[in-house]
Every structure is written in structure tokens, then in C-alpha cells.
Amino acid sequence: MYRSITNGAAAILALYVPATNAFWRLECSGTVGMARIDPLMDFGGLSGHVHTIKGGSAFSSTSTADDLLKSKCQSCDVAQDKSAYWTPPLYFMADDGTMTLVPEKPPFKAYYELDTGLTSDGKPQTVEAFPKGFQMISGSNTRRNTTLSGPDPSKHLGPFPDENNSQREERAIGFNCLNYANPSLAENALSRHHLPEKSWIDSNCPDGIRLELGFPSCWNGEMDGGEEHKSHVAFPHWIKAGDCPPGFDKRLPTMLYETIVDTGKFIGKSGKFVLGNGDPTGYGYHGDFIAAWEEGILQQAVEQCTDKRGEMRKCGVFKYTDKPASCTLENLPSELKDENTEGPLQGLPGGCELEYGPEPANKCKGATGSSSGGKSAGKSVEKFVGKPEQVPAEGYSSPAEPAPAPIENELPAAPQKAAVVAPEVEDKGDDNGAPPPQLPPAAPATTPPPSADSAVAGQAGNIITTSLHTDGRVVYEKVVVKQEVTVTEGGVKAKRTPEAKAEHVKRHGHRHHHPMQHGVGGRRMK
């Protein structure tokens, strides 16, 4: 249906899709170390909790980009990249309190996505490379609750024009259930924002959990991100793609970390999963990044690496390393050389206590360093609104895992000066045509995925651009179509109103049945 026209005339509306122009997957075949080191939040000392570290071997509690660029080796596959990527690992906690590291299934992947959008004043953006020494954090170490409404996991993948940056940051965390034998249960990336109960994971995710973390891509041009290393960046309104908020008009590559952990090794064992920072909820998952690419290489990659399937080796800019899996930290602090980070051990490294929330968690006891933030220091602990129904007084219970009800993919409001707003559009059901896993497992009805060819039939002259984007084992083609819709009232035809814009996502994907690689689906490629 159409909403009322306020000026008694008509307008022509253009519908756009936020475009993913290209991307590549930077794979890290090895881990340079697991240690309580964090040069951003615990500069010059020991971190309160352990991290899994990828990248340059010169990583230390005081490392800068210049230090990293002098690394003797790197655990990622591109020789010109000595950047540092680090996150807390996942542990299995037995009923007697014994902790054992949940092993990763390499490679770790850092996606560099070249998503674009509009500036706050409506101008198209161009992606520029991270400058040398750029650093940021996504997620909150102390978060133990959520401010998001609606079901989790959610089918509503955006946009989120009315949410603040902290809420969008919560949406940039994902715990993706992997079940390669049942591709009908494939899940969208960043759709579940909490760590499910172990019993549910055992029943539904035999191939593990994919830990996902998205980073903000809107930038204010400053290198100083404050004590939290995040005040200089913001999320666009589609989380990964979309438009940037006022004051953050520069566009950086959209980075997404993917770590697959082998929870299947613990099926049938009594206990729970907990992150290395003492978080059993998953809401406190986070990650850090320091950019240390060789001069000019990343900008060349941004301009030249345009494969729409994300295959890094199709780009001639990159050179590759030998035996990245054998690279290890050069200078591990003496206090950490004998620290057991893999288990079995009693308690978590750094003395982290399990904290279920809903209030923010305390910093782990083993921290001795300080934030390396600059002048615009922010608060070290953010307050989050609690949801008592999710955290019973007698102990924590993670949110239930029902199949979410269909949610309308609402359009953002048009600018106030527009004559009309776009027609309301409903998006019923999952883009893949399959609900997420349920407990107990059931055989839910599924809706066949739409045909991308039919979706754009007759629109060939109006296609602005197309692009491919992966979500787990599904590759979607995003088709940007300009549709002119003439709305008349009283027989009067109005002039074109370019400001009256709305966004509508047409996602078309076919599941690919090869479990260990991203498949290609959607509109048939000639």
C-alpha cells in the first residue's frame, strides 16, 4: 500500500541497494601465539585475559605499526601484511571447573570488504585504505547483556537507522551454528548475538561454531580513538554496508573476523563454553586490530582487488608467505613463557572470573597494563540496560533458540524534505528460505529461495551495479536496481524528487552443498 502524499502531487522514487563492490578473504593459516598481551588496552603490561593472536611476529605489549612491520614472519598468508588481529579464545569448562581450550579449525579469516554508501550529506563514498598505524576495537570486553529487542537469532538483517552506535556494535557479533550435513539449516552471518547453551550446540552444531566479529567502517579521519579505541569510528546503518552517520564521512574497508572453533570435540561432556575473558554469554566477544601493511600495498589492493567472489589469489597485488603456520611470537614476556593457556587448568588465565551479568563485568585480576588511548579518553566501562528475564536470580540461562517469526524488513524514513516516502515493503521469511536450527530439532517447512533472474527480469536497463557477497556457505548476488514509480493524485504528475529515496534489499541466494568452502549462488553468471 501507499502512505498519504502530503503535498497533493506525485513523486518519482528511486529504490537503491547498498552495494558490496568487491572483497577478499585474508587467510591466516597459523596463530603467532596465545598470550595475555594487548598493546591497546593493557599497554606495557600484562592483559587481564588471554588472546589468540594472528599476524606479525613482533607483536608485543608495546608494539606499534613500525614494530610490526619489522616482524621476522607472519601467520597470515600475505607477505606484505604484518598487521595484528586478536580476539579472546573459547574454552570448555567442565563441571569440576577444569578449563580446556576449544581448538580452532584454521584458517582464521579477516574479510576486507569494499562496501560503500553515502555520507551524511548524501554524497557517494569511496573506500580508502587503513593508514599505517590505524587501530580500533570492536565489541566490549565488559558487556554481559543486550539492549537489542526482538528474537535472537533474528531474520531482520537491516537497516537499523534508529539504533545508536553501541546497539549496532552489538549486532556486529555472531555465533554461527555449523552443520554441514544439513545445509537447509545454514544461518546468516551476524544473526545470533549470544553464545548458545552447550546442550543446544551439542544437538545442533556438530561441525562447530563460527565466531564472527564485524568492525565499523565509517571514520572521522582521526587516528586517536580514545581509551576505548573506538570513538573515531562508527557503524553504517546496515552494520556492514549502508550510509555513515554525521561526522564519520570517510569510508574504510569493512573488516569481518571469522574463527571456527571445534566445539564438536566436547559433545557429550558435561560443562559449558566460556570465552577467555570470563564471558559465558557471548555478549562480551570483541577483537582488536592494528594496521601494518607495507607502504601503498593496501591502497593498491582496494583499487585493484575487485574479485566479487573474494578469492584473494586472483589479485596480482599480493605476494605470499612460506609456512605461515610455523610463525611464532619473537618476544614473549618472561612472566608468560610458562603460563598454561591451553589447559587443562583450574580457572582461566589471568584470574578471570565467570560473570553472567546483566551488569558490566569487572576487569580480570591479572591486568597490569594501561590503555594506550590518546587525549579523547572515554569511559572504561559502559552501562547497559539489563533484561532480568534473561538472567534468572539462581543463575544464567542463555536465551532460548526458537525459530524466529518473520520480521518485516522495514524501510528507513525518507528525508523530511521529500514529497513522499516509499511504499511499505514486507519481507516474509528468511532470505535463504530456511529457518535457523531449533531445539529440539524439527523438520520445519521451508520456502524455496527466489530466483534472482526472475527478480530482476525486465529490469536489465535499470540495473546500476551487481556484486557478490558471502554469508557463511552462501554467496548472495546484490543487484542494484533503479525503479521509477510514478504516484499520482488528482491527475497531477509531479516533478522528479531525487531526495525521496528509500532502501530495499533484494537478497538472492542458493545454498551451496560443499561444506568447507563458500559456494556461488543467486543470479546465474554468464
Side-chain angles (χ1 to χ4, degrees), residues 54-79:
K54 322 289 184 183
S57 59
F59 184 85
S60 72
S61 65
T62 59
S63 58
T64 64
D66 288 332
D67 297 325
L68 291 168
L69 283 166
K70 297 174 184 176
S71 296
K72 296 177 181 178
C73 62
Q74 60 277 331
S75 67
C76 299
D77 295 358
V78 174

Side-chain angles (χ1 to χ4, degrees), residues 334-363:
S334 58
E335 305 97 313
L336 301 179
K337 287 184 177 179
D338 296 324
E339 184 169 62
N340 182 2
T341 58
E342 298 186 9
L345 67 158
Q346 284 296 314
L348 290 166
C352 295
E353 297 179 356
L354 269 66
E355 296 190 62
Y356 294 84
E359 64 279 352
N362 297 306
K363 197 168 185 179

